[in-house]
Amino acid sequence: MTGSDSGSDPGSGPDPGTGTETDALSVTIVDGYVDEPAHFGVPPYISTYPRYTAGALVDAGVPREQITYHTIDGLRDDPDRWRAVDDADLMIYLGGMTVPGKYVGGTPAEPDEVRKLAWTASGTSLMGGPVKFGVGDENAGATETERQDLDFDFVAKGDVEAAVHDLVESGLEGFNNRMRDIDEVSRWAQEGAFIVEQHPNHPEYLIAELETSRGCAYRCSFCTEPLYGNPSFRPAPTVVGEVDALADYGVKHFRIGRQADILAYGGDGEAPNPDALRQLYSGIREVAPNLDTLHLDNMNPITIVNWPEKSREGIRIIAEHNTPGDTAAFGLESADPIVQEENNLNVTAEECFEAVRIVNEEAGWRPGGPNDPTADATTGDARPRRLPKLLPGINLLHGLKGEREETYRHNREFLQRVYDEGYMLRRVNIRQVMSFDGTDMSDTGAEIANEHKKLFKRYKQQVREEIDNPMLERVAPPGTVLSDVHLEYHQDGKTFGRQLGTYPLLVGIPGERQLGRTIDIAVVDHGYRSVTGVPYPLDLNGASMDELTAIPGVGDRTAGDIVVNRPHESVTDAGLETAIELDEFVTTRPFEHAD
């Protein structure tokens, strides 16, 4: 990376005395997307980085109308947008993947594309975000990374938003790498909310990642989050104020995802603080009463085990205020005690199981269902079945120090136990490690992950078949209604879409429907990590053959009879015999008899 403590190369940046006046400065922000252990920004998500950076620019005196924002996919789709990169006095690239993933809504920038941005920029160029931790040959697991400047004039080794602010104030001559403080982030989060209007998904298909804290009290071997230090929390009014500002710009979907442990919010970094959670969640609901999504991401299972009663209270508060289908990601990483010890993992398989049980007990209820503590007794059972309010998700990471063949058996046995004892997991995330300088895994690198690639592939398929499929049917049984499914792409004569939220289910719908719309669907069948759905409610008097045959037990012959004998007075009149209850999601549209 370029620079020393000043964050710059003495030969980089504009010549002294030729800097542009701040109020005339043109700035282009390019979002290459981020994926960190406690931060997500691949569409339909927008991370905090572009919003905070825009706010820092405004705070430094750059007018909003002089700030242009593009996603890397936007540049790919429209080559004319590269002019904004070329013409800007200051071009800022934001990106970096420190955990591997597969993405549907967008494709993170590859290193060659990031270099092209630097080469295209005629003005000053600055790179920041988790890319500062290192760059691999590709965005994938089982890879090693190294720190690279990718030909940028400046690389922010501290907080990129602080670097941007100070660089502008210096007349684009340089900055001291530093971390921003709470007062700064509180201002910048609100002042930069306007940038969401320039995101191609705005307003309907955009979910804003919210930061409550950074850093972690624990030191797992592979994780970059401890590189931010011990946890530091944003006061609830500052987060609520940010939500208020984002809602003013049309955002209706939010995820409280930027923290290592939501239960520890507002406390000492480890123990739960239910009062702080109540202030945060009730405050968000007050300023954004019409929000459509309120989800979270990380929850540390060791917190639940060490402080069970306070954790139960905190979980109940979250489930009272959130929207259905929420997921609390548990970083078990490995159920193998040897791997746990060698990598300083903070929760055992037994402790994680106990945390799974508690979240299921406190938040595994469905709105309108028999255990809904908020249900109106007069309407409770009349509502369609929804996803549970909040369930745990399990993160498993392979390629860690000490991994052996028995590791895979330990992980399978843990997941099987959860299923056999009747609990629910919203999803199981299985990945291979990425190695970053500054973590304990930097010495081992990706060597173990590469040695075990064949074993990993077999094991992953086994988990998908034996755990994911039956677990998904338990979480979203036939007839479960998913509202506002955004239709994203066509494949094999089907339309695929997702809800907005944490780890949303991929839904396959028979037929090719208009993309970009949202529809309600009812689940009729299950894959490993996806479901088949039909429009909700499904009208027997208007449904297509493909929609009818998607219902288990309805073949071509039965579907043909339904179509030929239309109209039907009722679902019962159609005489369907299936293993699932049709009355929950199938109807017959009223019709008029001929005179």
Side-chain angles (χ1 to χ4, degrees), residues 65-276:
E65 58 272 18
Q66 296 289 107
I67 303 171
T68 302
Y69 168 75
H70 291 293
T71 65
I72 189 66
D73 282 312
L75 294 178
R76 293 173 181 138
D77 294 341
D78 183 359
D80 287 344
R81 295 180 183 179
W82 282 86
R83 293 177 187 169
V85 176
D86 186 9
D87 295 343
D89 298 312
L90 172 61
M91 190 278 292
I92 303 162
Y93 170 74
L94 306 169
M97 321 299 288
T98 62
V99 292
K102 294 183 178 179
Y103 312 101
V104 175
T107 303
E110 295 287 353
D112 285 347
E113 292 179 304
V114 182
R115 288 190 183 90
K116 181 181 176 182
L117 287 167
W119 299 337
T120 303
S122 297
T124 302
S125 61
L126 182 148
M127 177 174 70
V131 69
K132 69 185 179 184
F133 294 127
V135 180
D137 293 332
E138 58 179 337
N139 298 320
T143 57
E144 299 178 13
T145 65
E146 61 178 340
R147 298 176 187 266
Q148 299 180 40
D149 65 13
L150 298 177
D151 297 327
F152 278 69
D153 295 327
F154 296 97
V155 176
K157 300 173 189 174
D159 280 326
V160 62
E161 54 267 36
V164 165
H165 177 273
D166 296 351
L167 182 62
V168 169
E169 285 204 329
S170 76
L172 305 186
E173 293 187 3
F175 55 88
N176 291 315
N177 285 298
R178 67 179 180 88
M179 309 301 279
R180 36 82 168 171
D181 60 36
I182 292 294
D183 289 339
E184 286 177 323
V185 74
S186 299
R187 291 197 311 273
W188 298 344
Q190 294 190 44
E191 291 178 348
F194 74 94
I195 207 72
V196 298
E197 292 190 315
Q198 298 185 42
H199 195 288
N201 288 31
H202 180 271
E204 297 298 332
Y205 195 36
L206 187 66
I207 181 166
E209 187 85 319
L210 300 174
E211 174 188 327
T212 65
S213 71
R214 293 196 307 181
C216 186
Y218 304 98
R219 298 292 184 267
C220 299
S221 69
F222 60 90
C223 188
T224 56
E225 191 60 23
L227 301 180
Y228 289 103
N230 290 324
S232 60
F233 299 99
R234 294 178 61 195
T238 71
V239 182
V240 171
E242 180 182 5
V243 171
D244 195 9
L246 288 165
D248 285 344
Y249 287 102
V251 177
K252 290 188 175 183
H253 306 274
F254 304 92
R255 187 176 84 152
I256 306 172
R258 181 66 178 105
Q259 71 278 313
D261 180 11
I262 186 62
L263 287 180
Y265 173 69
D268 62 4
E270 297 183 49
N273 185 342
D275 290 338

Side-chain angles (χ1 to χ4, degrees), residues 351-366:
E351 290 168 333
C352 190
F353 181 85
E354 175 67 6
V356 166
R357 181 181 70 83
I358 288 174
V359 173
N360 271 259
E361 289 175 354
E362 299 297 341
W365 49 271
R366 302 173 192 271

Side-chain angles (χ1 to χ4, degrees), residues 263-284:
L263 287 180
Y265 173 69
D268 62 4
E270 297 183 49
N273 185 342
D275 290 338
L277 283 172
R278 186 176 290 107
Q279 185 183 14
L280 174 68
Y281 272 86
S282 63
I284 289 173

Side-chain angles (χ1 to χ4, degrees), residues 334-378:
S334 179
D336 184 342
I338 289 180
V339 176
Q340 291 166 1
E341 182 177 357
E342 291 200 24
N343 294 274
N344 201 31
L345 305 183
N346 61 52
V347 63
T348 66
E350 188 63 36
E351 290 168 333
C352 190
F353 181 85
E354 175 67 6
V356 166
R357 181 181 70 83
I358 288 174
V359 173
N360 271 259
E361 289 175 354
E362 299 297 341
W365 49 271
R366 302 173 192 271
N371 299 316
D372 181 355
T374 67
D376 182 339
T378 63

